[in-house]
């Protein structure tokens, strides 16, 4: 293989790509403007949603007012709780099912001074969960107050009897900063992968299946370029364009969101973190670039290539969602699985605690797969049955 | 007189060239079956045949795009399967259906094809000058291919195929789909290349192109060469008046043989 030949084809593909408006849109406009705007909008509305939920008054359906008038009164006095007293459990349950309350409180007297409180709520329903946590806080405060009163009646001081352990939880950041950092940790890798995919897909389909469709491929095949040189030249063009899109996505998302006034808390990220990002990203770009070359070599037309690329894009989206959900608990194995490993390693890098073994596994696994994919795309390109599929 | 220089060295030779494709169902399709012919420098050889006769497949084997299933071929003294790069160095390939890179200029197109065909910067500069003059392309050298007319594009396609000054030119349906004027431009240049002592093999299904241009013709039906020789000799052999009559008489033979099978 002559690298001079590879370079000639690479330069031609790059020149062609730069002059294409679609490339400009997918490689520059999307990562620099569209993705930051998209993520900014998501962050803005998530922030507003959080703010709204903290300001929201939780509606409580309360049964058993007579069981403890003081507790019932405590509910009434609570600012963020709107209480509605009902006579029976059945009545409360029906009202709850109609969506008239976030939580049902069933207070029942079980002894002279004993009270049993049952709380009914819906897990996964944010309003209900918020109401529950407020009620739990209220009940704790009520219990503490009752204890203090009772102990005082016995001539004892609650503070002296309470366990010698005091837990204080301090919020170290502003809500905005916490939200920004959490969102960027989860979504930045995902958007970067999307940027790589969209850039690679468009160009990859054009310079492979597009060459077949426009019948320019035969002029390349009747030149000094060997099939290996053609595949490597095309692969490198997609690789460079997709890497550039990834770089612009990082720039666009980090600086774009900062410009929009979001606090991302990425100040601690230095050159080492950036180097780790590059090592994590490049083999991934290699895998995705060779995948689009494989698909493009197999497809007869650009349209067909785009159709075949869709499942890959869908898989990327699915894996991205899985990674964002935080439910991927597979231990070290996760760093051997392509794509997921990059997303997870990226999260660690942003958090500032990337483990060397995780980064190493990610790099090795992706680098190996990228190499295999390139090898496979060369093999495929040499197959007449594939290249001239009819 | 059509071939004043005939008798010079053989530059292209095919012996029993065969290409078999397989359908998804596993059936064999003999796209080219036992094709043998030779062609000399300064000669224009026409390969005539209906659509699907195997013309393009035959030319693709000669240009190393496809590898033969059986038989052998030498181009400029190099075996197609053994020295594909040498073969490609010796060949200029053009098909009307072949596209161009729309976002490159005409000059950039020639630069690219010149370089990937092994020309140095210096050689390329010299050759570009010659080609631009020969094909009268100077006016649109800096224009993007996407903005060129069909005629200009065809000139550029020709220029691309000869930029490395190959001794052998292989043209697959070079006038297909072109208007009369553009087609004439192409055929005029083909004649010119012949005067430069190049070997030209062109496939077509247009009989008038063969009659006007070719020194010899090979007629293909269903992958098999049914006739090969000088047009006047073939007409005499078959006792027919013109190429069209010859073509239909061979087509009839082919049909009868197929039915007998």
């Amino acid at each position: 293989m002559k690298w001079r030949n590879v370079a000639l084809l690479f330069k031609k593909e790059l020149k062609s790509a730069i002059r294409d408006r679609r490339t400009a849109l997918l490689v520059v406009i999307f990562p620099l403007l569209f993705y930051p705007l998209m993520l900014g909008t998501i962050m803005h509305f998530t922030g507003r949603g959080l703010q709204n939920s903290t300001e929201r008054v939780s509606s409580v359906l309360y049964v058993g007012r007579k069981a403890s008038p003081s507790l019932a009164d405590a509910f009434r006095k609570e600012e963020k709780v709107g209480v509605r007293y009902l006579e029976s459990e059945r009545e409360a349950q029906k009202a709850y099912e109609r969506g008239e309350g976030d939580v049902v409180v069933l207070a029942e007297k079980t002894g002279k001074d004993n009270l049993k409180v049952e709380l009914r709520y819906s897990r996964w329903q944010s309003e209900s969960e918020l109401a529950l946590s407020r009620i739990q806080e209220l009940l704790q405060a009520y219990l503490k107050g009752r204890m203090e009163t009772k102990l005082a009646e016995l001539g004892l001081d609650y503070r002296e009897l309470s366990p010698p352990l005091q837990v204080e939880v301090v919020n170290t950041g502003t809500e905005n900063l916490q939200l920004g950092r959490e969102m960027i940790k989860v979504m930045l890798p995902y958007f970067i992968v999307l940027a790589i995919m969209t850039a690679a897909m468009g160009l990859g389909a054009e310079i492979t299946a597009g060459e077949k469709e426009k019948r320019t491929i035969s002029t390349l095949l009747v030149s000094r370029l060997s099939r290996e040189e053609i595949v490597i030249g095309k692969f490198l063009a997609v690789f460079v364009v997709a890497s550039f899109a990834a770089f612009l996505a990082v720039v666009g998302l980090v600086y774009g969101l900062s410009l929009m006034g979001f606090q991302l808390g990425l100040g601690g990220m230095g050159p080492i973190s950036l180097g780790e990002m590059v090592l994590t990203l490049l083999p991934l770009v290699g895998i995705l670039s060779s995948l689009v070359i494989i698909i493009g070599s197999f497809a007869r037309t650009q349209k067909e290539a785009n159709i075949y690329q869709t499942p890959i894009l869908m898989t990327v989206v699915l894996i991205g969602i899985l990674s964002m959900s935080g439910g991927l608990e597979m231990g070290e194995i996760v760093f051997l699985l392509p794509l997921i490993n990059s997303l997870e390693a990226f999260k660690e890098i942003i958090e500032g605690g990337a483990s060397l073994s995780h980064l190493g596994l990610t790099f090795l696994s992706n680098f190996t797969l990228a190499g295999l994919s390139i090898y496979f795309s060369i093999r495929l390109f040499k197959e007449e049955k594939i290249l001239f599929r009819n | 007189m059509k071939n004043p220089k005939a008798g010079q060295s053989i530059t292209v030779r095919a012996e029993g060239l065969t290409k078999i494709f397989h359908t998804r169902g596993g059936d064999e399709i003999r796209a080219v079956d036992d094709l043998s012919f030779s062609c000399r420098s300064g000669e224009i050889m026409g390969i005539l045949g209906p659509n699907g006769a195997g013309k393009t497949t035959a030319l693709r084997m000669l240009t190393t795009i496809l590898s033969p299933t059986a038989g052998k071929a030498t181009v400029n003294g190099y075996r197609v399967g053994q020295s594909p790069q040498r073969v490609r160095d010796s060949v200029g390939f053009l098909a009307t259906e072949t596209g161009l890179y729309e976002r490159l200029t005409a000059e950039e197109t020639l630069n690219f094809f010149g370089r990937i065909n092994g020309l140095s910067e210096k050689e390329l500069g010299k050759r570009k000058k010659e080609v631009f003059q020969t094909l009268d392309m100077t006016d649109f050298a800096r224009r993007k291919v996407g903005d060129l007319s069909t005629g200009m594009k065809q000139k550029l396609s020709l220029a691309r195929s000869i930029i490395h000054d190959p001794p052998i030119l292989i043209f697959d349906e070079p006038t297909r789909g072109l208007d009369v004027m553009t087609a004439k431009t192409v055929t005029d240049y083909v004649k010119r290349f012949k005067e430069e002592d190049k070997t030209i093999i062109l496939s077509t299904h247009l009989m008038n192109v063969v009659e006007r241009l070719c020194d010899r013709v090979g007629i293909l039906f269903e992958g098999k060469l049914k006739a090969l020789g000088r047009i006047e000799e073939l007409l005499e052999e078959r006792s027919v008046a013109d190429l069209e009559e010859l073509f239909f008489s061979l087509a009839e033979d082919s049909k009868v043989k197929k039915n007998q099978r």
Side-chain angles (χ1 to χ4, degrees), chain A residues 2 4 8-9 12 15-17 19-20 22 206 211 214-216 218-227 229 384 388-389, chain B residues 19 60 63-67 85 88-89 91 93 97-101 103-105 108 112-113 115-119 144 160:
Chain A
K2 287 182 186 154
R4 173 197 168 271
L8 286 170
L9 182 63
K12 191 277 286 177
K15 191 182 272 181
S16 235
R19 288 178 183 170
D20 185 11
R22 283 170 303 176
E206 196 199 336
E211 287 247 24
K214 290 170 198 153
R215 295 174 192 268
T216 44
S218 51
T219 55
L220 285 186
L221 297 175
V222 191
S223 74
R224 272 199 178 182
L225 300 179
S226 68
R227 308 245 166 141
E229 288 161 357
E384 285 176 6
F388 299 103
R389 206 161 60 90
Chain B
K19 184 69 187 179
R60 281 182 172 181
T63 50
T64 77
I65 296 175
L66 293 175
S67 28
Q85 206 166 59
R88 292 198 291 260
D89 279 350
V91 166
F93 178 72
E97 284 183 349
T98 305
L100 289 157
Y101 299 115
R103 289 190 286 275
L104 298 186
T105 64
E108 284 167 346
F112 174 65
F113 282 99
R115 295 306 303 276
I116 63 166
N117 281 300
L119 296 186
K144 279 200 189 142
R160 178 190 59 188

Side-chain angles (χ1 to χ4, degrees), chain B residues 43-142:
Chain B
E43 186 179 34
I44 303 178
M45 161 99 179
I47 297 182
L48 189 66
N51 289 338
K55 305 183 295 286
T56 300
T57 306
L59 298 189
R60 281 182 172 181
M61 284 192 281
L62 291 177
T63 50
T64 77
I65 296 175
L66 293 175
S67 28
T69 312
K72 61 179 183 180
T74 50
V75 173
N76 205 24
Y78 301 108
R79 278 282 292 276
V80 165
Q82 287 169 358
S83 316
Q85 206 166 59
R86 297 272 187 194
V87 171
R88 292 198 291 260
D89 279 350
S90 316
V91 166
F93 178 72
L94 168 76
T96 300
E97 284 183 349
T98 305
L100 289 157
Y101 299 115
E102 301 272 307
R103 289 190 286 275
L104 298 186
T105 64
E107 189 172 5
E108 284 167 346
T109 304
L110 291 194
N111 287 343
F112 174 65
F113 282 99
R115 295 306 303 276
I116 63 166
N117 281 300
L119 296 186
S120 66
E121 283 289 350
K122 202 177 157 190
E123 289 166 331
L124 178 65
K126 195 179 153 214
R127 192 66 194 136
K128 248 181 355 189
K129 219 170 166 182
E130 287 169 10
V131 170
F132 277 139
Q133 272 176 1
T134 312
L135 296 174
D136 192 20
M137 289 173 58
T138 319
D139 288 349
F140 60 89
R142 302 257 159 99

Side-chain angles (χ1 to χ4, degrees), chain A residues 11-258:
Chain A
K11 274 195 261 177
K12 191 277 286 177
E13 299 296 7
L14 213 57
K15 191 182 272 181
S16 235
I18 289 166
R19 288 178 183 170
D20 185 11
R21 275 189 218 133
R22 283 170 303 176
T23 314
L25 184 77
L26 293 173
V27 178
V28 182
I29 310 292
F30 265 52
L32 270 184
L33 295 174
F34 185 67
Y35 291 158
L37 271 175
M38 218 162 116
L39 189 53
T41 310
I42 295 172
M43 286 171 78
H44 173 74
F45 283 104
T46 311
R48 252 178 66 172
L50 273 176
Q51 205 179 3
N52 286 346
S53 69
T54 48
E55 282 168 7
R56 187 176 185 275
V57 173
S58 302
S59 59
V60 174
L61 303 166
Y62 193 105
V63 180
R65 191 179 183 180
K66 285 175 193 160
S68 170
S70 60
L71 178 64
D73 203 39
F75 270 86
R76 191 183 52 78
K77 282 178 185 162
E78 181 60 44
E79 202 185 320
K80 293 279 171 71
V81 169
V83 66
R84 183 174 149 203
Y85 299 107
L86 297 161
E87 290 308 314
S88 71
E89 181 191 336
R90 204 172 151 214
E91 197 184 342
Q93 189 60 36
K94 280 198 169 171
Y96 183 67
E97 281 163 12
R98 285 196 299 270
E100 291 169 14
D102 299 320
V103 169
V104 176
V105 178
L106 300 169
E108 188 188 343
K109 206 164 183 173
T110 53
K112 190 186 165 221
D113 275 331
N114 293 338
L115 199 65
K116 180 189 156 198
V117 178
E118 184 182 321
L119 303 175
R120 289 183 185 171
Y121 84 110
S122 300
R123 203 177 174 187
W124 308 122
Q125 202 182 338
S126 58
E127 293 90 350
S128 191
E129 286 193 325
L130 178 70
L132 178 75
S133 78
R134 280 174 177 168
I135 291 168
Q136 280 173 330
E137 268 178 43
L138 184 150
L139 288 172
Q140 254 180 359
Y142 174 77
L143 189 64
K144 191 183 166 198
R146 291 286 298 160
M147 289 285 283
E148 277 173 349
T149 316
K150 283 221 165 190
L151 288 170
E153 281 168 13
L154 295 167
L156 294 166
D157 188 348
Y158 174 80
R159 276 167 297 179
E160 281 174 23
L161 286 171
S162 60
L165 173 72
Q166 209 172 3
V167 179
E168 210 170 310
V169 180
V170 179
N171 187 352
T172 55
T174 62
E175 270 182 19
N176 195 7
L177 176 64
Q178 282 176 327
L179 174 71
R181 193 168 179 135
E182 201 51 39
M183 295 277 296
I184 206 83
K185 185 183 89 183
V186 174
M187 299 198 81
L188 180 69
Y190 178 59
F191 274 88
I192 289 171
V193 173
L194 269 188
I196 295 169
M197 267 315 282
T198 43
M201 276 166 60
L203 182 61
E206 196 199 336
I207 66 176
T208 49
E211 287 247 24
K212 284 198 220 173
E213 193 176 355
K214 290 170 198 153
R215 295 174 192 268
T216 44
I217 191 84
S218 51
T219 55
L220 285 186
L221 297 175
V222 191
S223 74
R224 272 199 178 182
L225 300 179
S226 68
R227 308 245 166 141
E228 284 93 342
E229 288 161 357
I230 294 174
V231 174
I232 300 290
K234 286 178 182 293
F235 163 78
L236 284 178
V238 177
F239 180 82
V240 166
V241 168
S243 303
F244 187 61
F247 168 73
L248 289 187
V250 175
V251 171
L253 287 164
V254 172
Y255 291 99
L257 291 174
S258 303

